[in-house]
Amino acid sequence: MNYSDQTRSIARPLIAHARKYLGVPYAWGGKTPEGFDCSGLVCWVLGELGISLPEGSQGQWASEVGMKVHPSQMQPGDVVFFDTPSSEQPAPNHVG
């Protein structure tokens, strides 16, 4: 799939905005700049750019927001989901 002009136009501001939170401590269930977990950071950064996502990696993965792309077509700013080996869930349990 090809990216739309709208998607390309938000990638740089999204990355620049996310970088502002480098060094914020990890906090399980964290959803604010006081402390983030993986999905909290994604939700916060995208939310500040006007993109609403559900909380939690599984909710974000199942969301109808965005589009799926093949790994070979990934671009900077894309959200990536992981299913870690310790997961007992049928869906990804980590997002970045």
Side-chain angles (χ1 to χ4, degrees):
M1 292 182 208
N2 292 323
Y3 281 95
S4 68
D5 289 338
Q6 179 185 6
T7 303
R8 283 189 196 104
S9 71
I10 68 166
R12 284 193 178 160
L14 177 120
I15 293 165
H17 189 66
R19 286 184 176 171
K20 293 177 186 178
Y21 300 105
L22 286 172
V24 169
Y26 177 84
W28 177 261
K31 303 174 196 170
T32 72
E34 297 295 316
F36 289 117
D37 68 6
C38 62
S39 62
L41 175 63
V42 170
C43 196
W44 181 271
V45 170
L46 290 174
E48 293 219 314
L49 295 175
I51 300 168
S52 179
L53 281 179
E55 294 180 6
S57 58
Q58 292 181 15
Q60 293 172 2
W61 177 70
S63 168
E64 302 263 334
V65 176
M67 63 183 184
K68 294 180 182 179
V69 296
H70 188 273
S72 67
Q73 296 176 314
M74 292 178 66
Q75 300 289 319
D78 284 347
V79 175
V80 181
F81 295 92
F82 302 88
D83 185 8
T84 61
S86 63
S87 174
E88 296 177 13
Q89 309 288 334
N93 62 353
H94 185 66
V95 61

